Amino acid sequence: MQSTIELFHHLYNNLPPLLPEEIIFAMKKELSDLENNSDLTLVELEDIMIKFGYEVWPWNQAYKYFLTAATDQLGNHFLLPRMSDGLRAKYLAFQEFGGTLGDLHSGRPASFFTSEERAELCEKLVDMRLHLKEYVNRSVIGESKSQYLNKVEEYKNLIEKIKFNLESLRNFMEKEEDGSVLIGEINAKIKNFEHSLCLLGSEMDYEAVCQAQDFFVGRKVELSRMKGINIPMQIDFFNS
């Protein structure tokens, strides 16, 4: 429960620029109420976070789009001056071998650097990210504001499509008989999708959302076909 509250705080403390004030105020109020409401269940807390997840997600995705673009374009500009001479030379050699800044975040090239170099590199990457975020924050409330808001609208349209697909899944599930294996599977899939909106789960795969109903239609056919496999065949020797 406490770890989920901490995730809620993290979501609130890292809200993207220009998010409407009414959303910020509502989240702040909910967090304040949480401090005084010990009777709230984990499911109720997650439902609150999911509600805000739907509202914040388009803004977070738009901000992430600009942050990723800035990292690709300016990452080395912010990173190289902060490195020691030795690490800078090693990093440039790493790039000559085909390594990229993105590879550093994956951890794949760890063996290329010594443990001391990796420790410095982690520190400098954190510092680089902080300065990149400051740069992007200035950009999206300044010269890139219109492009940023347009990108937010794109993700708002996408979240509406996602909502429609999830509602279709729920309608499909309601037609299943009580006790059906599919009910549990569909509920788990919807929960995973919604958790990904608000830090409670891994990042959402949009394609998986759109294809989920087709998957479960096929899954239903498969379960129906498999239903009789474990039923022993009965032969009436007297009437055969």
Side-chain angles (χ1 to χ4, degrees):
M1 184 76 166
Q2 186 57 40
S3 61
T4 304
I5 293 175
E6 289 173 3
L7 283 174
F8 196 176
H9 276 286
H10 184 77
L11 184 68
Y12 175 76
N13 291 330
N14 291 275
L15 293 174
L18 302 180
L19 184 74
E21 287 295 327
E22 59 268 23
I23 298 176
I24 298 173
F25 177 79
M27 291 182 73
K28 183 177 181 180
K29 184 178 184 304
E30 286 289 358
L31 281 167
S32 177
D33 290 345
L34 277 174
E35 304 299 328
N36 304 310
N37 186 359
S38 58
D39 296 330
L40 203 66
T41 67
L42 179 59
V43 172
E44 290 170 333
L45 173 57
E46 289 179 349
D47 286 343
I48 292 171
M49 289 185 65
I50 289 168
K51 178 187 70 173
F52 287 115
Y54 276 109
E55 296 184 279
V56 174
W57 185 82
W59 295 85
N60 274 336
Q61 292 302 113
Y63 183 79
K64 181 181 176 182
Y65 174 89
F66 278 81
L67 184 59
T68 299
T71 302
D72 292 341
Q73 295 168 14
L74 300 169
N76 282 336
H77 170 78
F78 283 97
L79 181 61
L80 287 171
R82 292 174 169 78
M83 291 177 166
S84 65
D85 292 341
L87 180 60
R88 186 182 307 112
K90 192 71 171 287
Y91 175 62
L92 291 173
F94 168 70
Q95 288 189 312
E96 288 178 4
F97 280 102
T100 67
L101 182 58
D103 290 332
L104 296 180
H105 292 289
S106 72
R108 287 192 295 271
S111 59
F112 191 90
F113 300 93
T114 67
S115 58
E116 292 80 8
E117 289 168 341
R118 289 197 298 272
E120 181 186 346
L121 194 54
C122 287
E123 177 188 342
K124 302 310 179 187
L125 284 170
V126 170
D127 192 39
M128 176 204 74
R129 183 130 180 123
L130 289 173
H131 283 83
L132 273 171
K133 290 186 76 170
E134 290 175 2
Y135 169 83
V136 173
N137 289 349
R138 291 194 301 270
S139 176
V140 298
I141 65 176
E143 68 273 14
S144 300
K145 181 178 178 179
S146 60
Q147 296 96 314
Y148 173 59
L149 294 178
N150 285 339
K151 187 59 68 173
V152 170
E153 289 303 313
E154 287 182 26
Y155 283 109
K156 282 183 177 180
N157 291 334
L158 179 56
I159 200 67
E160 289 303 317
K161 293 177 183 177
I162 290 170
K163 284 181 183 178
F164 176 82
N165 279 283
L166 293 183
E167 190 59 32
S168 295
L169 270 181
R170 290 187 177 96
N171 292 336
F172 178 77
M173 180 178 62
E174 287 176 359
K175 297 175 184 177
E176 290 298 300
E177 298 177 359
D178 290 344
S180 167
V181 172
L182 278 181
I183 292 177
E185 292 182 359
I186 294 173
N187 266 325
K189 181 66 71 174
I190 292 173
K191 187 176 182 180
N192 287 341
F193 288 151
E194 293 189 323
H195 279 190
S196 70
L197 298 172
C198 53
L199 306 181
L200 292 172
S202 57
E203 190 167 355
M204 180 164 47
D205 181 348
Y206 320 124
E207 291 295 326
V209 178
C210 296
Q211 296 170 6
Q213 184 162 341
D214 288 340
F215 168 81
F216 282 113
V217 168
R219 177 78 172 126
K220 182 173 183 176
V221 172
E222 177 188 5
L223 288 172
S224 297
R225 182 174 59 82
M226 298 288 289
K227 187 178 293 185
I229 285 183
N230 295 323
I231 300 176
M233 182 181 292
Q234 295 182 359
I235 302 176
D236 187 344
F237 291 99
F238 298 100
N239 294 318
S240 58

